[in-house]
Amino acid sequence: MKQITGGVCAAQGFKAAGIHCGIRKNQSKRDLALIVSDCPASAAAVYTTNLVKGAPLLVTKAHLADGKAQAILCNSGNANTCNADGPQIAEEMCRLAAGPLGITPEDVVVASTGVIGQPLDLTPIAAGMAPLVADLSYANSLHAAMAIMTTDTLAKEVAVEFTLGGKTCHLGGIAKGSGMIHPNMATMLVFLTTDAAISSQMLHKALSTDVQSTFNMVSVDGDTSTNDMVAILANGLAGNTPVTEENQDFTVFIKALNTVTMQLCRMLAGDGEGATRLLECRVRGAADLATARTVAKAVICSSLVKAAMFGADANWGRVLCAIGYSGATVDVQKVDVSFASEAGRTAVCKDGAGIPFSEEYAKEILLKNEIEIQVDLHAGEAESTAWGCDLTYDYVKINGDYRT
Amino acid sequence: MKQITGGVCAAQGFKAAGIHCGIRKNQSKRDLALIVSDCPASAAAVYTTNLVKGAPLLVTKAHLADGKAQAILCNSGNANTCNADGPQIAEEMCRLAAGPLGITPEDVVVASTGVIGQPLDLTPIAAGMAPLVADLSYANSLHAAMAIMTTDTLAKEVAVEFTLGGKTCHLGGIAKGSGMIHPNMATMLVFLTTDAAISSQMLHKALSTDVQSTFNMVSVDGDTSTNDMVAILANGLAGNTPVTEENQDFTVFIKALNTVTMQLCRMLAGDGEGATRLLECRVRGAADLATARTVAKAVICSSLVKAAMFGADANWGRVLCAIGYSGATVDVQKVDVSFASEAGRTAVCKDGAGIPFSEEYAKEILLKNEIEIQVDLHAGEAESTAWGCDLTYDYVKINGDYRT
């Protein structure tokens, strides 16, 4: 497994593009992204569990019923959600892209992100399609990654190289956060591409398994978005024997996928709205996986823990409090808590009670950009990690005045 | 039912006191409160569901096993939680108060609020007991209300006068917030007193019923505290025929209780940490009460809704998003949303989709201090209200640097 560059263009036969078409007022912000495979690809996606679902998700779900797709079209600046004409608009977006690409609209995955409940005007998208298609290139992942950003401060791209049956394969992705991030069975917008040959059934199995331990363990603000989606295209151009069952190749593929998604999770959490710190809560010693996940997520979601981390305050009582109300069955008298970062590690709580520690050293640890909150439940072997970020003035600023 | 003054001293035979004994460094902040009934009283309490429970709660629960109490002792500045010697410290606090009051330690309700996981030094409490008892008076509810405050900006007192079987009765209370507020089956610290005669069984029934629609519907930050408690003493000095069953007097008593607790809820939410606005989400048209409550609480708890309210931004899409991920079964295509305040009311969403409205007028409405978010699910007759507050810079400030 080797880290490589290239994002969604790392895999053979994938072009990408991203332009400013005019949905967003700020002309320096790209707002329309396109990812295209040279040939039809196996495709799978997972979606938000929010009952309010963006129109693009409904259209994409219908288009992926046959397990095939060839392009992904995504705009930022408007979520096309809670609009009476949303589904028609999303269908029309697919038609606008399919025409110049010479494919059928049903092979287009469509996504939108931005404000909810404002009509999405097709005019700039229609006018932008020609320059968007002209921008397509095998080295343009970054343009696409930029065009799907909303309040993100960094474009997010990852890719790896791996081997299936002697053939070199690639898998890469782009992602956007950075608020309304609390996925449940699916996530924010993440688009993945691979040149590995794999059936759409196995692709869906790989993706839906992977999100349980990756994107579903990320929370920026506890709000599960209406438009969350992770989609993956696999065009098979690597020439490997197609993966059609749970064999060793499938295990390798899962590992490649997990390597990419895990890094995207860290990027998403670390670039959460207003964040100054990436928080990683590592729970071990849990009686079972569900308990480990529940505890890790409760800690990451606690407003008080998040605010304490912003203040580099080793207020471990809030960690214990979050574990206590998480709903998980935990013997709180056995819980140990430590804080760690590249500056070191300090234990702060043992057997559910405080222990002496140096506040100065703890501060030094917590002033770093990536913080680990380590929890040991001493009740078993299960482990889980959740990712989040601190709660800052800028989160309030960004969300107190988002639409204007 | 008449609003009166006097807080926990409104009822006959209740004295209160509040002093600075030295648990808190700031000498201008009272940190030790005492409420005493002239005679033994029926008593009941409900407690946090957090698995991590403050030592005072465990001690109080044991003391109330017989349904009787005569005094309430509470300190601020230290939660006496997650300390190995916590229970002994809490028991000793009860002994320190019982001595000069001439009652048994088992008739003392004890509570603590403040930082978790730091040893509670008994020295200032022991030294402060004499001046505390000396401060007791039938008109001192405010001192007690001030002494239980942590980050609260206002002391919270309410009282009402009502009639049971021709006898004039009184019921009043004090409360403290203002962070780590997301009660579940119990709540922050609330102490209630009444001179109505009522058995401890009926008192407990009244209290545990009432909190479902009052304190359990308040959230400041989604964090369920380790030390939440609502306790009530009923000393019977009003001379009414004791309430021992679910008769008409019980109904009147419930109404008096609810009148007081509802107002305390609004005070708690409006004075949430850093809050500039009280948010009240009124859900109607729900298929059942559980759905109404789940939806109301999800809206009130959404960080994005809270931040939008801070910005006086009519971003109703976030309200719909919160309803969608609440877990309640709702037909989102039927949901209507309006914003209201003393400045007026404007509908913003009908049948799950946006409708035209004046942004200027909406802003005018949302700039007031008390905002109603009205949701109609059009699916039945059940209703519920939840209380919360906006998410502000000051919440981050207060909690990014709470311990130092």
Side-chain angles (χ1 to χ4, degrees), chain B residues 28 33 54 68 71 94 136 183 196-197 207 220 236 271 335-336 342 369 394:
Chain B
S28 71
K68 293 275 167 201
C94 294
L136 280 171
L207 185 62
V220 167
D271 193 30
V335 177
D336 296 348
E342 54 176 354
N369 291 332
D394 278 353

Side-chain angles (χ1 to χ4, degrees), chain A residues 50 223 302 313 324-325 403, chain B residues 50 223 302 313 324-325 359 403:
Chain A
N50 197 313
D223 282 85
S302 159
D313 179 4
Y325 68 65
R403 295 188 315 157
Chain B
N50 197 313
D223 282 84
S302 159
D313 179 4
Y325 69 63
E359 291 279 353
R403 296 187 316 156

Side-chain angles (χ1 to χ4, degrees), chain B residues 193-209:
Chain B
T193 59
T194 180
D195 43 22
I198 178 169
S199 70
S200 59
Q201 287 81 358
M202 295 313 288
L203 194 60
H204 187 265
K205 185 168 231 170
L207 185 62
S208 52
T209 304

Side-chain angles (χ1 to χ4, degrees), chain B residues 24 74-77 79 111-115 144-157 173-181 183 187-191 215 218 220 225 227-229 264 267-269 271-273 402:
Chain B
R24 306 182 71 166
C74 177
N75 73 277
S76 58
S112 297
T113 177
V115 186
M146 290 167 73
I148 64 172
M149 289 164 63
T150 50
T151 49
D152 304 67
T153 65
L154 294 168
K156 299 167 186 69
E157 297 183 292
I174 59 174
K176 61 87 44 182
S178 67
M180 211 179 261
I181 302 286
T187 183
M188 60 290 300
L189 292 182
V190 179
F191 304 127
F215 300 115
V218 175
V220 167
S225 165
N227 286 44
D228 292 338
M229 188 196 309
L264 290 174
M267 288 179 180
L268 284 163
D271 193 30
E273 281 181 336
Y402 175 60

